[in-house]
mmCIF file of all heavy atoms in Angstrom:
data_model
loop_
_atom_site.group_PDB
_atom_site.id
_atom_site.type_symbol
_atom_site.label_atom_id
_atom_site.label_comp_id
_atom_site.label_asym_id
_atom_site.label_seq_id
_atom_site.Cartn_x
_atom_site.Cartn_y
_atom_site.Cartn_z
ATOM 1 N N ILE A 21 101.217 32.210 90.287
ATOM 2 C CA ILE A 21 100.696 30.995 90.965
ATOM 3 C C ILE A 21 100.254 31.417 92.319
ATOM 4 O O ILE A 21 101.023 31.927 93.129
ATOM 5 C CB ILE A 21 101.733 29.884 91.048
ATOM 6 C CG1 ILE A 21 101.944 29.291 89.643
ATOM 7 C CG2 ILE A 21 101.346 28.825 92.018
ATOM 8 C CD1 ILE A 21 102.909 28.145 89.585
ATOM 9 N N GLY A 22 99.013 31.132 92.626
ATOM 10 C CA GLY A 22 98.460 31.527 93.951
ATOM 11 C C GLY A 22 98.014 32.935 94.049
ATOM 12 O O GLY A 22 97.570 33.351 95.117
ATOM 13 N N ASP A 23 98.119 33.686 92.960
ATOM 14 C CA ASP A 23 97.593 35.086 92.925
ATOM 15 C C ASP A 23 96.066 35.095 92.868
ATOM 16 O O ASP A 23 95.453 34.073 92.544
ATOM 17 C CB ASP A 23 98.145 35.754 91.670
ATOM 18 C CG ASP A 23 97.837 37.247 91.612
ATOM 19 O OD1 ASP A 23 98.356 37.988 92.420
ATOM 20 O OD2 ASP A 23 97.061 37.655 90.774
ATOM 21 N N LYS A 24 95.447 36.195 93.258
ATOM 22 C CA LYS A 24 93.986 36.257 93.263
ATOM 23 C C LYS A 24 93.368 36.001 91.948
ATOM 24 O O LYS A 24 92.318 35.369 91.833
ATOM 25 C CB LYS A 24 93.537 37.630 93.837
ATOM 26 C CG LYS A 24 93.724 37.769 95.329
ATOM 27 C CD LYS A 24 93.108 39.029 95.863
ATOM 28 C CE LYS A 24 93.294 39.122 97.390
ATOM 29 N NZ LYS A 24 92.607 40.293 97.988
ATOM 30 N N THR A 25 94.010 36.465 90.850
ATOM 31 C CA THR A 25 93.484 36.171 89.512
ATOM 32 C C THR A 25 93.615 34.679 89.185
ATOM 33 O O THR A 25 92.821 34.198 88.416
ATOM 34 C CB THR A 25 94.135 37.065 88.459
ATOM 35 O OG1 THR A 25 95.564 36.935 88.580
ATOM 36 C CG2 THR A 25 93.754 38.495 88.620
ATOM 37 N N PHE A 26 94.589 34.044 89.716
ATOM 38 C CA PHE A 26 94.786 32.598 89.537
ATOM 39 C C PHE A 26 93.582 31.869 90.170
ATOM 40 O O PHE A 26 92.950 30.984 89.570
ATOM 41 C CB PHE A 26 96.093 32.152 90.235
ATOM 42 C CG PHE A 26 96.371 30.668 90.137
ATOM 43 C CD1 PHE A 26 97.081 30.109 89.074
ATOM 44 C CD2 PHE A 26 95.895 29.814 91.102
ATOM 45 C CE1 PHE A 26 97.354 28.754 89.024
ATOM 46 C CE2 PHE A 26 96.166 28.436 91.062
ATOM 47 C CZ PHE A 26 96.913 27.935 90.008
ATOM 48 N N PHE A 27 93.252 32.239 91.395
ATOM 49 C CA PHE A 27 92.070 31.664 92.067
ATOM 50 C C PHE A 27 90.791 31.954 91.349
ATOM 51 O O PHE A 27 89.902 31.101 91.225
ATOM 52 C CB PHE A 27 91.980 32.136 93.526
ATOM 53 C CG PHE A 27 93.117 31.651 94.368
ATOM 54 C CD1 PHE A 27 93.706 32.518 95.297
ATOM 55 C CD2 PHE A 27 93.570 30.383 94.312
ATOM 56 C CE1 PHE A 27 94.727 32.100 96.146
ATOM 57 C CE2 PHE A 27 94.615 29.916 95.152
ATOM 58 C CZ PHE A 27 95.159 30.797 96.046
ATOM 59 N N ALA A 28 90.639 33.187 90.877
ATOM 60 C CA ALA A 28 89.453 33.590 90.125
ATOM 61 C C ALA A 28 89.252 32.749 88.885
ATOM 62 O O ALA A 28 88.122 32.278 88.609
ATOM 63 C CB ALA A 28 89.509 35.098 89.777
ATOM 64 N N ALA A 29 90.357 32.510 88.146
ATOM 65 C CA ALA A 29 90.245 31.664 86.943
ATOM 66 C C ALA A 29 89.842 30.212 87.335
ATOM 67 O O ALA A 29 89.009 29.596 86.590
ATOM 68 C CB ALA A 29 91.611 31.665 86.235
ATOM 69 N N ALA A 30 90.405 29.718 88.395
ATOM 70 C CA ALA A 30 90.151 28.370 88.859
ATOM 71 C C ALA A 30 88.637 28.231 89.234
ATOM 72 O O ALA A 30 87.938 27.246 88.810
ATOM 73 C CB ALA A 30 90.955 28.015 90.050
ATOM 74 N N ILE A 31 88.090 29.210 89.973
ATOM 75 C CA ILE A 31 86.707 29.102 90.463
ATOM 76 C C ILE A 31 85.743 29.292 89.269
ATOM 77 O O ILE A 31 84.717 28.622 89.158
ATOM 78 C CB ILE A 31 86.471 30.138 91.559
ATOM 79 C CG1 ILE A 31 87.287 29.812 92.774
ATOM 80 C CG2 ILE A 31 84.999 30.197 91.875
ATOM 81 C CD1 ILE A 31 87.423 30.939 93.806
ATOM 82 N N LEU A 32 86.029 30.283 88.396
ATOM 83 C CA LEU A 32 85.198 30.445 87.220
ATOM 84 C C LEU A 32 85.148 29.247 86.341
ATOM 85 O O LEU A 32 84.081 28.897 85.765
ATOM 86 C CB LEU A 32 85.711 31.695 86.411
ATOM 87 C CG LEU A 32 85.431 33.085 86.975
ATOM 88 C CD1 LEU A 32 86.200 34.137 86.218
ATOM 89 C CD2 LEU A 32 83.953 33.368 86.981
ATOM 90 N N ALA A 33 86.297 28.556 86.204
ATOM 91 C CA ALA A 33 86.335 27.371 85.335
ATOM 92 C C ALA A 33 85.513 26.199 85.919
ATOM 93 O O ALA A 33 85.125 25.297 85.185
ATOM 94 C CB ALA A 33 87.803 26.935 85.168
ATOM 95 N N MET A 34 85.279 26.229 87.234
ATOM 96 C CA MET A 34 84.445 25.201 87.785
ATOM 97 C C MET A 34 82.950 25.463 87.642
ATOM 98 O O MET A 34 82.150 24.582 87.779
ATOM 99 C CB MET A 34 84.747 25.077 89.322
ATOM 100 C CG MET A 34 86.143 24.481 89.583
ATOM 101 S SD MET A 34 86.436 24.158 91.351
ATOM 102 C CE MET A 34 86.589 25.846 91.959
ATOM 103 N N ARG A 35 82.630 26.670 87.225
ATOM 104 C CA ARG A 35 81.235 27.090 87.105
ATOM 105 C C ARG A 35 80.779 27.319 85.657
ATOM 106 O O ARG A 35 79.589 27.301 85.372
ATOM 107 C CB ARG A 35 80.974 28.393 87.897
ATOM 108 C CG ARG A 35 81.285 28.234 89.388
ATOM 109 C CD ARG A 35 81.194 29.545 90.105
ATOM 110 N NE ARG A 35 81.415 29.397 91.550
ATOM 111 C CZ ARG A 35 81.340 30.338 92.445
ATOM 112 N NH1 ARG A 35 81.006 31.559 92.036
ATOM 113 N NH2 ARG A 35 81.562 30.127 93.686
ATOM 114 N N HIS A 36 81.766 27.522 84.816
ATOM 115 C CA HIS A 36 81.447 27.865 83.407
ATOM 116 C C HIS A 36 82.336 27.051 82.455
ATOM 117 O O HIS A 36 83.328 26.471 82.927
ATOM 118 C CB HIS A 36 81.689 29.366 83.202
ATOM 119 C CG HIS A 36 80.828 30.219 84.097
ATOM 120 N ND1 HIS A 36 79.506 30.305 84.049
ATOM 121 C CD2 HIS A 36 81.226 31.055 85.116
ATOM 122 C CE1 HIS A 36 79.041 31.161 84.993
ATOM 123 N NE2 HIS A 36 80.112 31.625 85.672
ATOM 124 N N PRO A 37 82.006 27.073 81.140
ATOM 125 C CA PRO A 37 82.875 26.351 80.202
ATOM 126 C C PRO A 37 84.320 26.793 80.299
ATOM 127 O O PRO A 37 84.617 27.986 80.211
ATOM 128 C CB PRO A 37 82.212 26.670 78.843
ATOM 129 C CG PRO A 37 80.802 26.942 79.179
ATOM 130 C CD PRO A 37 80.810 27.627 80.495
ATOM 131 N N ARG A 38 85.191 25.863 80.408
ATOM 132 C CA ARG A 38 86.629 26.174 80.510
ATOM 133 C C ARG A 38 87.195 27.010 79.366
ATOM 134 O O ARG A 38 88.016 27.812 79.538
ATOM 135 C CB ARG A 38 87.405 24.939 80.778
ATOM 136 C CG ARG A 38 87.202 24.243 82.109
ATOM 137 C CD ARG A 38 87.932 22.886 82.203
ATOM 138 N NE ARG A 38 87.846 22.339 83.512
ATOM 139 C CZ ARG A 38 88.392 21.153 83.878
ATOM 140 N NH1 ARG A 38 89.015 20.434 82.877
ATOM 141 N NH2 ARG A 38 88.255 20.685 85.061
#
Side-chain angles (χ1 to χ4, degrees):
I21 288 183
D23 188 67
K24 285 188 178 181
T25 52
F26 178 92
F27 292 139
I31 295 166
L32 286 170
M34 290 187 289
R35 302 176 177 183
H36 303 293
R38 289 175 173 177

